[in-house]
Amino acid sequence: MSNRSDWPAGYFIGERGAKIDTAIIEAFRKLPAANIGDCMGRSNAALGLKPYHNDPELVLCGPALTVKVRPGDNLMIHKAIELAQPGDVIVIDGSGDLTQALIGGLMRTSAQTKKIAGFVVNGAVRDLNEWAEGGISCWAVGNTLRGPSKDGPGEVNTTISCAGMIVAPGDLIVADADGVIVIPQDQLDTVLPRVQQHAQREEKIRASNQSGTADPERFNSILRAKGCPL
């Protein structure tokens, strides 16, 4: 199924990414997306996405099932839902187009039935009242009531660009109230301990700030190094 030469131009369904260990997924689920971003150069998160699930405590964490579609067409998104496994995050490159919605309430119902974790859409959604019920994450650039076509072309399980992120099949998606970030699958084992240590450091700083014993030298040393006369 992964040989492009067997597919007509513009259509393709690739292989899933390698399975991510459940323990790793659950470990990342407990970590703030902002801390993950801090440990990945502070430039790896999505830009311009908004949550439509109306639940700031809902954490999205799961492997990416990627989809690339023509703006305003969702044929291959329906195929992706069919192929998805429980816990998958369907990440859609819709080129940021807002003229037609790519997913709506009926697709939400299908996704919930298959226990899909959520959607990240570089494009528009509709049926906002249904998404606002929660239970499944939905991040998108915007919304419109105008529905999509179902003509194709499109690709599933291919490397895509989504809201400033490069996402490959099987990469880990994490999203919380702060936003959406992707961790490449081959970096999970190295990023996880860094983020855990970072979170521990922040807890110590938070405790120091709360007690009023924060060390001013933390920032004054930076200012002096820049020539500021402190």
Side-chain angles (χ1 to χ4, degrees):
M1 190 164 62
S2 61
N3 191 341
R4 281 187 178 272
S5 63
D6 295 333
W7 291 83
Y11 295 85
F12 179 67
I13 298 178
E15 300 292 338
R16 293 180 56 89
K19 182 177 175 60
I20 302 174
D21 187 272
T22 301
I24 292 179
I25 294 176
E26 292 309 311
F28 272 106
R29 190 187 304 277
K30 298 174 183 176
L31 296 168
N35 283 4
I36 297 172
D38 285 348
C39 295
M40 296 184 67
R42 298 189 168 185
S43 61
N44 202 37
L47 300 173
L49 296 179
K50 299 181 289 186
Y52 283 89
H53 44 266
N54 197 32
D55 182 356
E57 296 185 1
L58 185 61
V59 175
L60 176 63
C61 186
L65 193 163
T66 60
V67 192
K68 182 178 181 180
V69 298
R70 177 174 58 81
D73 189 277
N74 73 358
L75 176 63
M76 294 302 272
I77 302 173
H78 284 278
K79 187 62 181 179
I81 292 174
E82 175 194 328
L83 296 172
Q85 297 179 7
D88 281 350
V89 179
I90 296 182
V91 186
I92 303 166
D93 175 9
S95 301
D97 177 73
L98 298 179
T99 61
Q100 291 172 274
L102 292 175
I103 60 173
L106 295 177
M107 298 171 80
R108 173 183 178 272
T109 300
S110 297
Q112 284 188 298
T113 300
K114 297 206 66 173
K115 295 181 170 53
I116 292 169
F119 293 85
V120 177
V121 187
N122 190 22
V125 300
R126 69 175 186 174
D127 302 324
L128 301 193
N129 288 339
E130 295 180 58
W131 292 109
E133 294 174 5
I136 181 170
S137 293
C138 179
W139 291 81
V141 177
N143 66 279
T144 177
L145 60 81
R146 296 176 59 181
S149 62
K150 293 173 174 58
D151 299 318
E155 300 183 2
V156 178
N157 281 331
T158 187
T159 299
I160 64 170
S161 174
C162 179
M165 303 183 298
I166 300 300
V167 186
D171 287 350
L172 186 66
I173 301 295
V174 180
D176 59 22
D178 276 322
V180 183
I181 193 165
V182 59
I183 306 103
Q185 188 171 129
D186 62 1
Q187 296 181 26
L188 292 173
D189 290 338
T190 56
V191 171
L192 178 57
R194 290 207 302 265
V195 181
Q196 291 171 327
Q197 293 167 9
H198 182 79
Q200 292 171 359
R201 287 195 300 271
E202 283 207 343
E203 281 302 315
K204 293 180 180 179
I205 295 171
R206 184 174 292 106
S208 177
N209 290 347
Q210 289 173 338
S211 66
T213 59
D215 182 7
E217 189 60 18
R218 180 183 173 204
F219 298 109
N220 286 342
S221 61
I222 299 174
L223 291 169
R224 278 195 295 272
K226 295 181 180 296
C228 298
L230 299 180

